[in-house]
Structures are given as C-alpha cells and as structure tokens.
Amino acid sequence: MAGRGERIADWADGRTGIHRLARSNLRKIFPDHWSFMLGEICLYSFVVIILTGVWLTLFFKPSMAEVVYDGSYVPLNGQRVSEAFDSTMRISFEVRGGLLIRQIHHWAALVFVAAMFVHMMRVFFTGAFRKPREVNWLFGFGLLFLGMLDGFFGYSLPDDLLSGTGIRFIEGVILAVPVVGTYLQMFLFGGEFPGTDIVPRFYSLHVLLIPGIMLGLLVAHLILVFFHKHTQFAGPCRTERNVVGAPLMPVYLAKAGGFFFLVFGVIAAVAAVASINPIWAFGPYRPDQVSTGAQPDWYMGFAEGLIRVMPGWEINAWGHTLALGVLIPFLLFPTILGAIAVYPFVEGWITRDRREHHLLDRPRNAPVRTALGAAWISLYLVTLVGGGNDLFATHLHLSLNAITWTVRIGFFAVPVLVFEITRRWCLGLQRRDRALVLHGRETGRIKKLPHGSYVEIHEPLPAERLHTLTAHEQPEPPAVEDRSLRARLARAYFGEGGQVRKATEREYAAALASGHEGDGQ
C-alpha cells in the first residue's frame, strides 16, 4: 500500500503535472562560471527589495497632509511636515528595527540596479544577446529601465529636502515638454508644485504598478533562460548543442541557496554600518530651500549630468518658448539608453547572421562590439561626473565652470578616444593569442644556438588551451566592390581593423616543423 505522502504526491501530479515538469527540469545543466553569478545577484537583491518593501508598507503613510512632528528626534519637534515624512521618521526612530530595514531596502535597490547593469554588460561583451536571445535581452533592458525608474520613485517618497529637490528637477523636465508640458505637470502634481498628489501617486507606482510589471518581466526572462538553455564559453566538449556544468538538483540549487543568504547578509551588513538617506539630516521639503550636494542615486546621476552641462539655450517658435537646455537632455536620456537596447538587432543586420548561438565570444575576439560597449560606458561615466560637478568643485577645490566645460568636451571626445583605445587593445590581445598558438608559451629557459645567438625556449600549448584560443569564428568581410552601407559596416567589423586572422592548422603545423624556438626542444 502506498503511504500518505506518496498518495498526496500522486494526487497533485495527476492534477498539476508537477512531477513530470520537475523530472524534466530538475536535472537541467547550469554552466559553472563566476560571471553567471551576476544574474543571480540581480534576482536575490530583487527578492530582498520585495521582502523589505512589504514590511515598510505596513508603517508608511503616503500622504502630503501636513502634521506637526512630535517624535523622538528632538531637533525637528514642532516642525510642520507631511505625513509621509513623519511616518518615515517614525519608522527610522520608533519602530523596532525600522531604520535597519529602511537601509537594507535602499542598499538592496542600489545593488539591484548595479548588478543588472554589470550583468547586461557581461551579456553584451560576450555576445550572449544573439539569436535566439534578442527578446530576452529586451526583457533585461526593460527590467533595468524600470528598476531605475522605480528607484527614483522610491527615494522620492519620504518627502524630505533631498527627494523634494529631485522632484523639482523632474517638474522642470516635464514643463520643458512643448505644448503639453504644463498640462502634464498639473495632472501629475495635482496643482502647482509641489501640489498634494505627487507622493500618493509615486507610492502607487512604486509599490504596485512598476513592481508588478517587473515581476512579469522577470518571470518571462527566467522562462526564456530555461527554454533557450544557458550560454557557455568555448572549451573542450562544449558545442552549440550541449551545456557542460552541474545539474540544477542538487548541486546548483544548494549553491544558489547559499549564495542568496550570502547576498542578503552582505547587504544587511552594509546597511548596518553605512548610513544612507538620513532624512533627519536633510529635514522636510520646502520649495524655498535647496543646498549644494543634492544628488540622486548613482544610476540617475547621468541624467542630471546631461542637464547640468547643457547650455541654457531657449528659442521661440510658433508662440511657444522651447527650453532646449532641458528638452535636449530629456530626449538624450532615452536615446542613450535605447542605443544599447537595439544594438543586437543592428549587429544582426550588419552581420547577416541568422544562426543560433549558444557559445559565448571572448570580448577580445569582437573588437568593434567591445569598443562600442566601452565607449557607451565612458559616455555614461562622463555624464555622471557632470551630475556631481558641484561636489567635485567643492571637495577638490576646482572651478565649477572648468568642470562643466571639461564634461561638455568629454561628452564628444572621450567615447571616441575610448573606442579607439579599446579596439586596438583587443586587436593586440588577438595578436598575442595568435603568437601563443604558433610559438607556444614562454618558459624562461634560454638556449644558446650554434652560431652564438640566444633564444628563449617555448613550449606548445596544451590542447585545451589551443581550443580556447582558436574556437571562435571569423566571418569573411564583404567584397570591396559592394559599396552599400551594410557592406561598409560589415568590413569595419570583419576587416583588418576589426579582427586579426587566427592561426590556421597549416600555419600551426608549419610552426612546429620549422624547428625554431617554438618547438619546445
């Protein structure tokens, strides 16, 4: 007779098919490489955000109604504050463990966006976005964009002086929208700034709408990861049709469980020792107050930098004043982010590659793609410096105008410079790989030849290393006669400036038979 547990399992399997589903997926293979842990950090920090966020909603009051603060923080007693600020202060000073949970929530949000950014760059530089993963790349980009947006809404909720300054920044951007800017501002704020509805509306977006969309994207992202199977770096026994690694159950599941608690523990430790967003030091928001040092979280710093370094141009057209000093950065913000989002489709169009790819590229073997990614990151960092130009000026005793002009010039010059340096760096690494294949590795042993000269003895590389250095594909560039835009771009990708021809089997055999220092004798 079957036991009670077996009968329950049979009952559940007959109605849900969970046993058949588990049997086909619990032995799924996961590659064992440290870079794949970046995606796990995204997932685990998101779980931490959800857990701490649910706890905070039990005590936070999303209201802009004014009350008189009479809490335990004496310097603010008697001040008129909003209920949002008052409830945040009570969470920080009067709810047991409230300040720690607040800081865990905020730090987890920073880690979440940072991990998504680094994870997407890993996917970009290794070419993991190629067919059939273009849609999953867009899902990941959507998660990054929504994470940045939700983070902004989150740190705006306490209604302190810092977050209020950020909201004032957004109000100025909305007002710069031609024709409908004033209507959008009145609708969003519920009246003249600061209005009475901005915190309740941000609260609904922060805890309900955006997290719900992100959860749906996350589930879809993970389903596609399982469906397409994991990518892996080239190596012995690794092909486009298999995955080499450890099974989900029990090896990977045990490692993932331990890594979750490690991520949670590190975030909790940082939150316990490093203060973040101390609203009691800023005080409640007042429209007539602002101070140097008002900065958003790091991931929104480049958006502020675009506006800070943009000249204050204005033009009058058709009876309307266009504030180009705000409107152009507002348009550049989605353009810069969107450029990295559509790149997989642009590369696919240039290369005419319609095959499925499950083996990853080494970044050095795709110099143009790697250089474009590095240039995009450099542009982000330059504008991030622009977003903190006042802090650089005050802390380093530099001219604010000099920093602003440096960022303006760097916005155009630095990405070009970084692109060329990175491209040449990758080509140099390819030449080094070619030399290693043909001549082997240096041993440090010196040999005197019969005619008196000295050479260093090289040893041939092991077969595993040779496979890693020569497994990548090198498409032929289009013929010079083809003058179309696609052909010119393809020649830039695969011509002499885009790749160094890897050693062929014939060249390798000739190098071994030539009797020079690469023969290991």
Side-chain angles (χ1 to χ4, degrees), residues 111-125:
V111 172
F112 176 58
V113 179
M116 283 196 296
F117 185 86
V118 178
H119 176 57
M120 285 195 66
M121 291 300 100
R122 197 276 301 177
V123 172
F124 179 88
F125 287 122

PDB file of all heavy atoms in Angstrom, residues 111-125:
ATOM      1  N   VAL A 111      22.153  47.901  -5.141  1.00  0.00           N
ATOM      2  CA  VAL A 111      22.826  46.684  -5.599  1.00  0.00           C
ATOM      3  C   VAL A 111      22.073  46.080  -6.781  1.00  0.00           C
ATOM      4  O   VAL A 111      22.687  45.578  -7.737  1.00  0.00           O
ATOM      5  CB  VAL A 111      22.947  45.676  -4.445  1.00  0.00           C
ATOM      6  CG1 VAL A 111      23.457  44.329  -4.941  1.00  0.00           C
ATOM      7  CG2 VAL A 111      23.878  46.216  -3.360  1.00  0.00           C
ATOM      8  N   PHE A 112      20.754  46.115  -6.724  1.00  0.00           N
ATOM      9  CA  PHE A 112      19.931  45.545  -7.788  1.00  0.00           C
ATOM     10  C   PHE A 112      20.218  46.217  -9.129  1.00  0.00           C
ATOM     11  O   PHE A 112      20.478  45.543 -10.141  1.00  0.00           O
ATOM     12  CB  PHE A 112      18.454  45.701  -7.411  1.00  0.00           C
ATOM     13  CG  PHE A 112      17.488  45.244  -8.462  1.00  0.00           C
ATOM     14  CD1 PHE A 112      17.515  43.943  -8.930  1.00  0.00           C
ATOM     15  CD2 PHE A 112      16.539  46.118  -8.978  1.00  0.00           C
ATOM     16  CE1 PHE A 112      16.610  43.511  -9.901  1.00  0.00           C
ATOM     17  CE2 PHE A 112      15.631  45.698  -9.942  1.00  0.00           C
ATOM     18  CZ  PHE A 112      15.673  44.392 -10.408  1.00  0.00           C
ATOM     19  N   VAL A 113      20.209  47.536  -9.144  1.00  0.00           N
ATOM     20  CA  VAL A 113      20.459  48.250 -10.400  1.00  0.00           C
ATOM     21  C   VAL A 113      21.905  48.046 -10.846  1.00  0.00           C
ATOM     22  O   VAL A 113      22.175  47.825 -12.033  1.00  0.00           O
ATOM     23  CB  VAL A 113      20.133  49.746 -10.240  1.00  0.00           C
ATOM     24  CG1 VAL A 113      20.425  50.495 -11.534  1.00  0.00           C
ATOM     25  CG2 VAL A 113      18.671  49.942  -9.865  1.00  0.00           C
ATOM     26  N   ALA A 114      22.849  48.103  -9.900  1.00  0.00           N
ATOM     27  CA  ALA A 114      24.255  47.897 -10.257  1.00  0.00           C
ATOM     28  C   ALA A 114      24.477  46.500 -10.826  1.00  0.00           C
ATOM     29  O   ALA A 114      25.191  46.317 -11.818  1.00  0.00           O
ATOM     30  CB  ALA A 114      25.138  48.128  -9.036  1.00  0.00           C
ATOM     31  N   ALA A 115      23.875  45.488 -10.195  1.00  0.00           N
ATOM     32  CA  ALA A 115      24.035  44.116 -10.677  1.00  0.00           C
ATOM     33  C   ALA A 115      23.407  43.945 -12.055  1.00  0.00           C
ATOM     34  O   ALA A 115      23.967  43.249 -12.920  1.00  0.00           O
ATOM     35  CB  ALA A 115      23.419  43.136  -9.680  1.00  0.00           C
ATOM     36  N   MET A 116      22.247  44.556 -12.284  1.00  0.00           N
ATOM     37  CA  MET A 116      21.633  44.469 -13.606  1.00  0.00           C
ATOM     38  C   MET A 116      22.515  45.129 -14.658  1.00  0.00           C
ATOM     39  O   MET A 116      22.677  44.617 -15.774  1.00  0.00           O
ATOM     40  CB  MET A 116      20.247  45.133 -13.598  1.00  0.00           C
ATOM     41  CG  MET A 116      19.164  44.296 -12.960  1.00  0.00           C
ATOM     42  SD  MET A 116      17.502  44.893 -13.378  1.00  0.00           S
ATOM     43  CE  MET A 116      17.526  46.509 -12.609  1.00  0.00           C
ATOM     44  N   PHE A 117      23.098  46.269 -14.307  1.00  0.00           N
ATOM     45  CA  PHE A 117      23.970  46.978 -15.244  1.00  0.00           C
ATOM     46  C   PHE A 117      25.173  46.107 -15.609  1.00  0.00           C
ATOM     47  O   PHE A 117      25.499  45.933 -16.786  1.00  0.00           O
ATOM     48  CB  PHE A 117      24.421  48.300 -14.614  1.00  0.00           C
ATOM     49  CG  PHE A 117      25.220  49.178 -15.528  1.00  0.00           C
ATOM     50  CD1 PHE A 117      24.590  50.056 -16.391  1.00  0.00           C
ATOM     51  CD2 PHE A 117      26.600  49.132 -15.523  1.00  0.00           C
ATOM     52  CE1 PHE A 117      25.328  50.865 -17.240  1.00  0.00           C
ATOM     53  CE2 PHE A 117      27.346  49.936 -16.367  1.00  0.00           C
ATOM     54  CZ  PHE A 117      26.709  50.804 -17.230  1.00  0.00           C
ATOM     55  N   VAL A 118      25.851  45.545 -14.601  1.00  0.00           N
ATOM     56  CA  VAL A 118      27.028  44.722 -14.856  1.00  0.00           C
ATOM     57  C   VAL A 118      26.636  43.439 -15.593  1.00  0.00           C
ATOM     58  O   VAL A 118      27.348  42.977 -16.500  1.00  0.00           O
ATOM     59  CB  VAL A 118      27.752  44.400 -13.535  1.00  0.00           C
ATOM     60  CG1 VAL A 118      28.950  43.496 -13.779  1.00  0.00           C
ATOM     61  CG2 VAL A 118      28.211  45.690 -12.850  1.00  0.00           C
ATOM     62  N   HIS A 119      25.501  42.854 -15.217  1.00  0.00           N
ATOM     63  CA  HIS A 119      25.035  41.629 -15.874  1.00  0.00           C
ATOM     64  C   HIS A 119      24.760  41.888 -17.356  1.00  0.00           C
ATOM     65  O   HIS A 119      25.137  41.081 -18.220  1.00  0.00           O
ATOM     66  CB  HIS A 119      23.766  41.140 -15.176  1.00  0.00           C
ATOM     67  CG  HIS A 119      23.132  39.946 -15.811  1.00  0.00           C
ATOM     68  ND1 HIS A 119      23.786  38.755 -16.015  1.00  0.00           N
ATOM     69  CD2 HIS A 119      21.882  39.766 -16.325  1.00  0.00           C
ATOM     70  CE1 HIS A 119      22.978  37.888 -16.603  1.00  0.00           C
ATOM     71  NE2 HIS A 119      21.816  38.478 -16.806  1.00  0.00           N
ATOM     72  N   MET A 120      24.113  43.008 -17.670  1.00  0.00           N
ATOM     73  CA  MET A 120      23.844  43.328 -19.063  1.00  0.00           C
ATOM     74  C   MET A 120      25.131  43.579 -19.837  1.00  0.00           C
ATOM     75  O   MET A 120      25.244  43.210 -21.014  1.00  0.00           O
ATOM     76  CB  MET A 120      22.927  44.549 -19.166  1.00  0.00           C
ATOM     77  CG  MET A 120      21.484  44.269 -18.838  1.00  0.00           C
ATOM     78  SD  MET A 120      20.383  45.602 -19.372  1.00  0.00           S
ATOM     79  CE  MET A 120      20.529  45.510 -21.140  1.00  0.00           C
ATOM     80  N   MET A 121      26.120  44.185 -19.198  1.00  0.00           N
ATOM     81  CA  MET A 121      27.395  44.389 -19.876  1.00  0.00           C
ATOM     82  C   MET A 121      28.104  43.060 -20.128  1.00  0.00           C
ATOM     83  O   MET A 121      28.760  42.880 -21.156  1.00  0.00           O
ATOM     84  CB  MET A 121      28.275  45.331 -19.054  1.00  0.00           C
ATOM     85  CG  MET A 121      27.783  46.769 -19.016  1.00  0.00           C
ATOM     86  SD  MET A 121      27.675  47.535 -20.662  1.00  0.00           S
ATOM     87  CE  MET A 121      25.915  47.386 -21.023  1.00  0.00           C
ATOM     88  N   ARG A 122      27.963  42.115 -19.200  1.00  0.00           N
ATOM     89  CA  ARG A 122      28.530  40.776 -19.437  1.00  0.00           C
ATOM     90  C   ARG A 122      27.874  40.129 -20.635  1.00  0.00           C
ATOM     91  O   ARG A 122      28.547  39.554 -21.506  1.00  0.00           O
ATOM     92  CB  ARG A 122      28.330  39.920 -18.178  1.00  0.00           C
ATOM     93  CG  ARG A 122      29.201  38.661 -18.109  1.00  0.00           C
ATOM     94  CD  ARG A 122      28.617  37.486 -18.862  1.00  0.00           C
ATOM     95  NE  ARG A 122      27.296  37.096 -18.372  1.00  0.00           N
ATOM     96  CZ  ARG A 122      26.573  36.125 -18.929  1.00  0.00           C
ATOM     97  NH1 ARG A 122      27.035  35.444 -19.980  1.00  0.00           N
ATOM     98  NH2 ARG A 122      25.371  35.831 -18.452  1.00  0.00           N
ATOM     99  N   VAL A 123      26.554  40.238 -20.709  1.00  0.00           N
ATOM    100  CA  VAL A 123      25.824  39.694 -21.850  1.00  0.00           C
ATOM    101  C   VAL A 123      26.246  40.399 -23.135  1.00  0.00           C
ATOM    102  O   VAL A 123      26.446  39.774 -24.185  1.00  0.00           O
ATOM    103  CB  VAL A 123      24.308  39.825 -21.625  1.00  0.00           C
ATOM    104  CG1 VAL A 123      23.531  39.449 -22.876  1.00  0.00           C
ATOM    105  CG2 VAL A 123      23.869  38.949 -20.449  1.00  0.00           C
ATOM    106  N   PHE A 124      26.419  41.716 -23.071  1.00  0.00           N
ATOM    107  CA  PHE A 124      26.782  42.490 -24.260  1.00  0.00           C
ATOM    108  C   PHE A 124      28.169  42.113 -24.760  1.00  0.00           C
ATOM    109  O   PHE A 124      28.349  41.802 -25.943  1.00  0.00           O
ATOM    110  CB  PHE A 124      26.721  43.985 -23.930  1.00  0.00           C
ATOM    111  CG  PHE A 124      27.092  44.874 -25.085  1.00  0.00           C
ATOM    112  CD1 PHE A 124      26.126  45.280 -25.993  1.00  0.00           C
ATOM    113  CD2 PHE A 124      28.391  45.309 -25.265  1.00  0.00           C
ATOM    114  CE1 PHE A 124      26.459  46.092 -27.070  1.00  0.00           C
ATOM    115  CE2 PHE A 124      28.733  46.120 -26.327  1.00  0.00           C
ATOM    116  CZ  PHE A 124      27.770  46.512 -27.233  1.00  0.00           C
ATOM    117  N   PHE A 125      29.153  42.139 -23.882  1.00  0.00           N
ATOM    118  CA  PHE A 125      30.535  41.927 -24.316  1.00  0.00           C
ATOM    119  C   PHE A 125      30.793  40.492 -24.773  1.00  0.00           C
ATOM    120  O   PHE A 125      31.725  40.262 -25.543  1.00  0.00           O
ATOM    121  CB  PHE A 125      31.503  42.295 -23.196  1.00  0.00           C
ATOM    122  CG  PHE A 125      31.627  43.778 -22.971  1.00  0.00           C
ATOM    123  CD1 PHE A 125      31.338  44.341 -21.738  1.00  0.00           C
ATOM    124  CD2 PHE A 125      32.032  44.615 -23.988  1.00  0.00           C
ATOM    125  CE1 PHE A 125      31.446  45.708 -21.536  1.00  0.00           C
ATOM    126  CE2 PHE A 125      32.145  45.982 -23.803  1.00  0.00           C
ATOM    127  CZ  PHE A 125      31.849  46.527 -22.569  1.00  0.00           C
TER     128      PHE A 125
END
